[in-house]
Amino acid sequence: NRGIKALDPQQAFKELSPVIQGRLNHLLKVFLNENKNINLSAHRTEESCWMGNILDSIACLPVMQQLSIINFQFSILDLGTGGGFPLLPLAILFAEHHFTGLDSVRKKMDAVSRIVSSLNLSNVTLVTGRAEETGRDPTHRETYDIVTARAVAETALLLEYCAPFVKKGGHILLWKSMEIDEEISSASGAEAKLFLKRLDPIIYDLGDTWGKRQILVYEKTKATPKEYPRSVGTAKKHLL
Ligand code: SAH
């Protein structure tokens, strides 16, 4: 497998400023508290939530740096954000950029909204809606520099959900496990129809029993044709 420079998320964390480290620790506490009442994540202990949600979310740091995110004010959408991953750790890391979290489940978005208030995050907007509908809304279509998604759907379907939101020249980042060559190649039809170019993935290792994972990176080279995304259900039944 090719890949952008491998990242050790534990090391990346150590290199963050003490203020940001403190805010990520605060997120861990507030999130676990919400997760007691609402099913936001299977990671219920501090250790597991820290590795599986927080460090996993910041694994995209090198690709963010490569996209020169440090130099510009970017607009980023996290599609299917659920309990707020990777949305919340990234909003903490990149306070100068604006983040939008999208999910169809209102109860989850209400919980994320309480977490956002508790952390005083002024750079996060939350939208309750389905990707297939919100992606047709002119307020959101072709308006984001980067769209992220973790654990939402298989690649072919996810590309159809994500592409309409991205500006021409913008990028899609998909958090995935390692051995998914078949899933990637069966998304080649979607890549072509949505004018997406697959770049080198970012490969990282969370260590211990967590092991290696990757973030797939796609660049959008042309505007998304009007027929996409297709209606709720159709996209899922008939993959591109
Ligand atoms: N990204 C989070 C949550 C993953 S669970 C994490 O990694 O922890 C997948 C989430 O995607 C669920 O909350 C589900 O409601 C949302 N989702 C799935 N399909 C969606 C769609 N078509 N539009 C909006 N949200 C969707």
Side-chain angles (χ1 to χ4, degrees), residues 103-116:
D103 204 286
S104 55
V105 180
R106 183 167 302 275
K107 213 171 48 166
K108 292 187 183 180
M109 298 308 270
D110 289 346
V112 175
S113 169
R114 288 190 292 272
I115 300 171
V116 165

Side-chain angles (χ1 to χ4, degrees), residues 28 34 36 38 54 92 119 126-127 146 174 188 191:
L28 177 71
E34 282 291 340
K36 278 185 202 151
I38 304 171
I54 295 181
I92 290 172
L119 289 164
L126 300 171
V127 178
I146 298 173
L174 307 181
S188 60
E191 274 175 45

Side-chain angles (χ1 to χ4, degrees), residues 64 76-79 86 90 146-150 162 173-175:
M64 290 293 203
I76 299 158
L77 175 81
D78 186 31
L79 190 150
L90 295 184
I146 298 173
V147 175
T148 58
R150 189 184 81 153
C162 292
L173 307 182
L174 307 181
W175 273 242

Side-chain angles (χ1 to χ4, degrees), residues 40 53 78-86 102-105 108 129-132 150-152 161:
L40 298 173
N53 287 333
D78 186 31
L79 190 150
T81 194
F85 296 103
L102 171 71
D103 204 286
S104 55
V105 180
K108 292 187 183 180
R130 288 201 63 95
E132 304 90 317
R150 189 184 81 153
V152 177
Y161 286 168

Side-chain angles (χ1 to χ4, degrees), residues 184-199:
I184 295 172
S185 54
S186 61
S188 60
E191 274 175 45
K193 289 175 186 135
L194 299 163
F195 303 112
L196 300 172
K197 185 178 154 200
R198 188 160 62 88
L199 309 182

